[in-house]
Amino acid sequence: MAARMTALADKLTEHRAGITAIDVMLTRLRDTAAHLVLDGGRAAFVDTGTALSLPTLLATLESKGIDRSAVDWVLTTHVHLDHAGGAGALMRELPNARCAVHPRGARHLVDPSKLIAGSREVFGADRYDRIYGEIVPIESSRVFVVEDGARIRLGGRELEMIHTPGHALHHYCIVDQANALTFSGDTFGLSYRDFDVDGRAFIFPTTTPVHFDPDALCASVDRLMSYQPRSIFLTHYAEVTELERLACEMKERVRAFADLGLRHREARDRADKLRRGMFAMISGWLDEHGFPRDEGERHRLLDEDVDINCQGIEVWLDRK
Ligand SMILES: [Zn+2]
């Protein structure tokens, strides 16, 4: 018991405004967060991690003395499995919760078969089975379809849901204007705490198949910034500040990834050129950032994202 409690405490980071980041790691510590938001005795989860995260999410409620019936919302920024793979299993345990999802994502949560097939293709059946677990469908009556600009209540606070295409067509972000913060899912890119140097965050885009769209993604970053947040909470990973700088870098890097794709568009060994090019690009940005670790360590931290990003860029090139 003591060991379990310690392990759970290591997974939780408390932030301002009643927010807890829960480490629901995919392949290494602090690569993926589910966020718990508490207000006036009511609770919401923002993203859930995969189906394998369920014990951690329930243990977090228990450790905070929150009854499962006090959870009003499971907010899934988009249906990719590192964000919503655990939503069905979690919903079964939360009698009063509704699961909020974009109109284009709703059918995938009610019937996950296509999502499972698509993800096995992107990630490989092997990796899929190892890290995603069993996907449970959600009854359609418990799904709340999020229209752009919809507002929901959580305890005393109001949350605005805004559509933000670019990473996925069916992506929405959650704006808490009173607290000047936003939950960005994958729209504001990736910022692993592993890359922090002297408390400064490093950021780069995630261009997962199949809906990467550079123009839409940059417009969505601008839209997030138009609310003038003081913090953005990323699924990968948790709170970032210094948002003016990060938004600029994010948009420059979206353009750089798109340009890389266009440069190698007709190459015979396109996938390989893209992977090498993207790794070198991110590594160069890490040098500018002052990141001290060597190439081997950079490969360990970047290779999976580089691989998935390049697949997404190829899908975009083929669609153009
Ligand atoms: Zn993600």
Side-chain angles (χ1 to χ4, degrees):
M1 190 66 183
R4 205 192 97 203
M5 296 299 285
T6 313
L8 180 66
D10 284 346
K11 292 179 185 175
L12 306 183
T13 311
E14 303 300 334
H15 295 281
R16 69 184 180 89
I19 294 164
T20 304
I22 307 165
D23 187 0
V24 289
M25 61 171 286
L26 268 187
T27 58
R28 65 170 192 271
L29 286 173
R30 300 216 179 345
D31 64 5
T32 303
H35 287 95
L36 179 68
V37 188
L38 290 180
D39 194 303
R42 309 306 296 178
F45 284 100
V46 178
D47 286 339
T48 64
T50 71
L52 303 177
S53 313
L54 180 66
T56 305
L57 301 178
L58 295 177
T60 301
L61 291 177
E62 200 186 328
S63 77
K64 291 177 171 291
I66 302 160
D67 197 86
R68 293 180 192 184
S69 64
V71 181
D72 290 334
W73 293 103
V74 173
L75 307 173
T76 55
T77 59
H78 60 304
V79 303
H80 293 167
L81 294 180
D82 52 326
H83 298 257
L90 180 61
M91 286 293 290
R92 279 205 298 218
E93 306 295 333
L94 307 175
N96 294 326
R98 279 187 291 169
C99 181
V101 59
H102 187 283
R104 295 182 67 115
R107 68 198 158 94
H108 294 298
L109 294 190
V110 174
D111 173 12
S113 54
K114 270 181 82 173
L115 193 62
I116 294 169
S119 302
R120 287 174 83 97
E121 197 174 321
V122 172
F123 298 106
D126 215 41
R127 175 181 149 107
Y128 177 87
D129 291 339
R130 194 162 30 88
I131 64 180
Y132 291 121
E134 191 203 349
I135 314 298
V136 177
I138 302 174
E139 286 163 53
S140 58
S141 63
R142 302 186 68 196
V143 170
F144 173 84
V145 175
V146 170
E147 299 302 337
D148 188 31
R151 287 156 200 271
I152 61 167
R153 289 214 78 78
L154 176 70
R157 83 177 75 181
E158 186 177 73
L159 301 173
E160 181 180 352
M161 331 284 265
I162 57 169
H163 289 181
T164 57
H167 173 80
L169 267 176
H170 66 275
H171 199 299
Y172 69 87
C173 292
I174 300 134
V175 179
D176 178 348
Q177 191 125 44
N179 289 299
L181 63 87
T182 297
F183 295 95
S184 64
D186 283 346
T187 298
F188 206 69
L190 307 172
S191 180
Y192 299 119
R193 304 281 59 83
D194 288 304
F195 292 128
D196 286 357
V197 175
D198 301 331
R200 294 175 72 248
F202 179 77
I203 207 156
F204 65 103
T206 163
T207 63
T208 313
V210 289
H211 291 147
F212 170 58
D213 177 336
D215 293 337
L217 188 51
C218 289
S220 289
V221 169
D222 285 337
R223 187 169 183 201
L224 291 184
M225 292 301 288
S226 74
Y227 288 85
Q228 300 182 300
R230 282 196 290 127
S231 344
I232 293 183
F233 289 86
L234 288 66
T235 301
H236 318 276
Y237 184 95
E239 184 181 33
V240 293
T241 54
E242 262 198 282
L243 299 179
E244 290 294 337
R245 170 177 72 84
L246 294 175
C248 276
E249 289 176 352
M250 181 54 200
K251 288 189 289 178
E252 281 168 18
R253 292 168 185 187
V254 169
R255 296 289 172 213
F257 282 180
D259 289 345
L260 175 75
L262 293 172
R263 225 164 28 243
H264 296 304
R265 187 178 195 161
E266 306 301 336
R268 208 160 23 85
D269 51 348
R270 183 172 79 174
D272 195 49
K273 282 213 162 63
L274 284 178
R275 269 200 300 273
R276 286 166 194 276
M278 188 178 291
F279 178 83
M281 204 174 249
I282 300 173
S283 204
W285 298 331
L286 282 169
D287 289 337
E288 289 166 22
H289 182 62
F291 185 68
R293 312 264 201 90
D294 66 14
E295 176 139 338
E297 189 65 1
R298 292 176 187 205
H299 276 293
R300 184 180 73 81
L301 294 169
L302 289 171
D303 279 357
E304 288 199 12
D305 285 313
V306 166
D307 186 51
I308 291 164
N309 274 356
C310 290
Q311 289 187 48
I313 288 183
E314 290 204 82
V315 171
W316 168 68
L317 288 171
D318 291 340
R319 194 174 62 228
K320 263 171 78 74

